[in-house]
Amino acid sequence: MDQDPIPPTIAWAGDHIELVDQRRLPGELRVLAVYSVDELCDAIRNLVIRGAPAIGAAGAMGIALAWVRGERVDIAASKLCATRPTAVNLAWGVDRARRAPDPVAAALEIAAEDVARNRALGSFGATLLAPGARVLTHCNAGALACVGYGTAIGVIRAAHEQGRQPFVWVGETRPVLQGARLSAWELNRLGIPVSIIVDGAAAALMGSGEVDAVIVGADRVTANGDVANKIGTFGLAVAAGYHGVPFYVAAPSPTFDRATRSGAEVVIESRDPVEILEVAGVRVAPDGVDAANPAFDITPRELVTAYITEHGVFEEASAAFDAANEPGVG
Ligand code: MRU
């Protein structure tokens, strides 16, 4: 494997798990060691590790940790699944490790597969981008949101590796700033030109013809093709549809959830209003004013131009589900 400028977000270390602490980026690249399932649950809740595929791998490693420590795997599973409700990958990773005769081997397999899936989806998706394409992405669906390589950023990265010279607009992604902090850090490290915009600037940029494609990741694609992803994704899809800009969803098969019929059934995580009321620990909102902090939204399938998976590019979600067709998916 070639040297990757972005280290794996998660690694199994025998009696503990090592996580890149994403709360500290871009200022500091530091690894956090977690030795118990409870510590891992805190790390998932507090966004030390985040992004659907990454928390899928974390769920599997959490089961592996409980197993090597001789703890009740069923209790570990319910604690892990309760940390964040929206990304289906978490429950998928937990279940797959739980059902395996050797959860450590299963967790390692999931981690290795994640990178392979993302490289494959990246090379399929890159063919959609013309040379010099200006791509808008949201949140962080890059290597940091996975074990490695990335989904939406994986597509951009593959285009870059193929010499297509993509340029990236990244929405800062209020309130946790995954775009401004994490995507910008990754793209910069990869040598891909990037410019950060405030989330509210996206529609205007599309209107002035400065966006050739929008590519986002997903936390869950439901059976009818609706897409749960970071709050603000729906608005981008509406603006892209209005302006005739293609709107692509890049996600590996474990994100496709056949058991949930439509976006209306997806549980949207509601996070602490403090994330909105304060900036860098300083209150900016008037005292006595509250905030609503839904972390995800649902983009209806009609607004999705195509789904990019490790099996190809599909205009219909049903075709992406059929292609996935692997045990434990959907
Ligand atoms: O709250 P986060 O940072 O975990 O949200 C992440 C996203 O919404 C990503 O777009 C999604 O998980 C896909 S990551 C490949």
Side-chain angles (χ1 to χ4, degrees), residues 13 25-26 34 61 64 67 145 147 177 220 235 255-256 270 308 313 326:
L25 287 169
V34 296
M61 288 200 195
W67 187 67
V147 178
L177 304 179
R220 188 183 298 248
T255 307
F256 286 74
S270 190
I308 305 165
V313 177
E326 56 182 278

Side-chain angles (χ1 to χ4, degrees), residues 178-329:
Q178 290 95 331
R181 294 189 304 111
L182 307 177
S183 292
W185 180 80
E186 271 191 35
L187 288 160
N188 201 35
R189 239 175 137 89
L190 292 166
I192 301 174
V194 55
S195 192
I196 301 167
I197 56 169
V198 295
D199 300 317
L205 271 184
M206 291 184 215
S208 56
E210 292 174 81
V211 180
D212 299 306
V214 178
I215 311 181
V216 296
D219 285 82
R220 188 183 298 248
V221 180
T222 60
N224 71 339
D226 291 348
V227 176
N229 192 50
K230 179 54 55 194
I231 191 78
T233 302
F234 176 32
L236 288 177
V238 170
Y242 181 84
H243 292 106
V245 172
F247 180 87
Y248 299 115
V249 174
S253 298
T255 307
F256 286 74
D257 174 22
R258 219 186 265 280
T260 303
R261 279 171 301 180
S262 76
E265 291 179 9
V266 176
V267 177
I268 300 293
E269 177 185 4
S270 190
R271 294 187 60 84
D272 192 335
V274 159
E275 288 179 349
I276 293 174
L277 298 170
E278 294 182 354
V279 171
V282 177
R283 182 152 180 129
V284 291
D287 286 338
V289 174
D290 203 356
N293 191 10
F296 300 96
D297 60 24
I298 303 294
T299 297
R301 61 183 162 172
E302 309 82 72
L303 294 175
V304 179
T305 307
Y307 305 83
I308 305 165
T309 83
E310 73 274 33
H311 301 291
V313 177
F314 304 94
E315 286 182 17
E316 297 298 328
S318 56
F321 275 102
D322 290 346
N325 196 27
E326 56 182 278
V329 173

Side-chain angles (χ1 to χ4, degrees), residues 22 47 49-55 84 87 89 118 138-142 145-146 150-152 176 178 182 216-220 228-231 233 250-252 255 269 271 295-296:
Q22 300 192 29
L47 312 181
I49 184 160
R50 42 139 307 274
I55 63 175
R84 299 195 76 191
N89 307 61
N118 297 338
H138 187 54
C139 191
N140 171 262
C146 304
T151 63
V176 181
Q178 290 95 331
L182 307 177
V216 296
D219 285 82
R220 188 183 298 248
N229 192 50
K230 179 54 55 194
I231 191 78
T233 302
T255 307
E269 177 185 4
R271 294 187 60 84
F296 300 96

Side-chain angles (χ1 to χ4, degrees), residues 1-65:
M1 182 73 65
D2 51 333
Q3 199 64 22
D4 197 310
I6 302 159
T9 53
I10 182 162
W12 176 251
D15 64 344
H16 67 279
I17 301 167
E18 293 184 343
L19 307 169
V20 169
D21 189 342
Q22 300 192 29
R23 296 168 305 180
R24 295 175 178 271
L25 287 169
E28 200 184 354
L29 178 56
R30 193 184 300 179
V31 169
L32 181 79
V34 296
Y35 288 85
S36 69
V37 170
D38 287 341
E39 281 173 13
L40 179 61
C41 288
D42 283 344
I44 297 171
R45 260 191 301 267
N46 297 332
L47 312 181
V48 170
I49 184 160
R50 42 139 307 274
I55 63 175
M61 288 200 195
I63 295 298
L65 193 58

